[in-house]
């Protein structure tokens, strides 16, 4: 069994009525020889007309997509720990999705669950990966990978803001 960790983050900025979102992930693998996790890959991106919650979910999905393309991960035996500072991602993945499914994708107040398309993909990952854990980390604290994911998101947002501002000039 191999051990993997994936840090994820999403970001959002509303500038000139244009919702600019970003996502980032850092994928780590435990190195038996070094007795520590080492970085495999990382990536980030941005989107317009989105929300922060969509970007938090997109970070998870993009990271898992990268893990699967890597080819080293066996979803039946290997362990993946997804680490996020988003309670929306953590509680949604571990508690809420089962209740939403039971209640025909309605919240406790009877409203439609937002981002259902993305949540269905998260459910697919949960069904496929036998040893999957979701853990919360306090954002902007002292976790170097969380801080790096946030910095990657902020850089993408700055690019998006500059693009919007240049388009207005």
């Amino acid at each position: 069994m191999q051990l993997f960790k994936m840090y994820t983050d999403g970001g959002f900025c509303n500038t000139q009525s244009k919702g600019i979102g970003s996502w980032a992930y850092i994928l780590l693998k435990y190195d038996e020889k070094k007795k520590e996790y080492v970085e495999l890959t990382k990536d980030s991106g941005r989107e317009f007309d989105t929300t922060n919650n969509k970007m938090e979910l997109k970070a998870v999905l993009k990271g898992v997509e990268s893990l699967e393309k890597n080819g080293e991960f066996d979803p039946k035996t290997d362990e993946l720990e997804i680490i996020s500072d988003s309670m929306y991602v953590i509680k949604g993945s571990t508690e809420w999705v089962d209740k939403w499914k039971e209640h025909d994708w309605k919240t406790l107040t009877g409203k439609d669950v937002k981002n259902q398309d993305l949540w269905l993909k998260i459910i697919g990952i949960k069904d496929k990966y036998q040893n999957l854990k979701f853990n919360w980390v306090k954002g902007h604290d002292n976790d170097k990978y969380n801080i790096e994911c946030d910095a990657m998101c902020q850089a993408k947002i700055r690019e998006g803001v500059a693009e919007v501002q240049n388009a207005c000039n």
Side-chain angles (χ1 to χ4, degrees):
M1 175 171 72
Q2 299 184 94
L3 305 174
F4 295 83
K5 286 186 180 186
M6 184 173 61
Y7 282 80
T8 67
D9 199 14
F12 180 80
C13 174
N14 196 0
T15 195
Q16 297 180 4
S17 299
K18 192 87 164 160
I20 303 167
S22 61
W23 53 265
Y25 68 84
I26 300 172
L27 185 59
L28 309 166
K29 179 182 177 183
Y30 189 75
D31 185 317
E32 285 290 337
K33 291 179 185 172
K34 294 181 180 179
K35 301 293 182 205
E36 65 182 7
Y37 281 90
V38 295
E39 188 176 304
L40 280 181
T41 187
K42 61 185 170 187
D43 197 10
S44 60
R46 74 172 188 274
E47 295 181 12
F48 292 101
D49 299 321
T50 189
T51 67
N52 186 70
N53 284 341
K54 283 182 183 179
M55 294 296 93
E56 295 283 0
L57 293 171
K58 185 72 71 103
V60 172
L61 297 172
K62 291 286 191 176
V64 168
E65 182 181 299
S66 174
L67 178 64
E68 290 180 348
K69 284 182 183 175
N70 178 284
E72 291 186 52
F73 186 81
D74 182 342
K76 291 182 178 149
T77 59
D78 294 341
E79 182 178 290
L80 174 61
E81 178 182 6
I82 296 173
I83 303 162
S84 173
D85 62 9
S86 167
M87 289 306 273
Y88 180 70
V89 167
I90 301 302
K91 287 195 176 243
S93 299
T94 60
E95 297 174 26
W96 301 339
V97 289
D98 294 330
K99 292 175 187 167
W100 291 334
K101 284 183 351 185
E102 286 175 19
H103 295 99
D104 199 28
W105 290 96
K106 300 286 184 194
T107 66
L108 292 176
T109 60
K111 295 180 182 175
D112 289 336
V113 171
K114 293 181 181 176
N115 306 315
Q116 182 180 343
D117 58 330
L118 301 175
W119 284 117
L120 287 169
K121 291 177 182 179
I122 298 287
I123 290 170
I125 292 165
K126 287 179 61 172
D127 290 345
K128 182 177 179 181
Y129 288 42
Q130 301 299 307
N131 300 301
L132 177 64
K133 295 189 276 185
F134 288 86
N135 284 311
W136 180 80
V137 64
K138 184 176 179 182
H140 317 285
D141 197 25
N142 62 359
D143 187 296
K144 76 176 194 174
Y145 293 113
N146 174 261
I147 291 168
E148 186 176 351
C149 274
D150 181 66
M152 292 165 63
C153 282
Q154 295 308 311
K156 288 296 182 182
I157 287 173
R158 284 191 300 276
E159 288 176 9
V161 168
E163 187 177 318
V164 169
Q165 290 172 340
N166 288 338
C168 293
N169 293 335

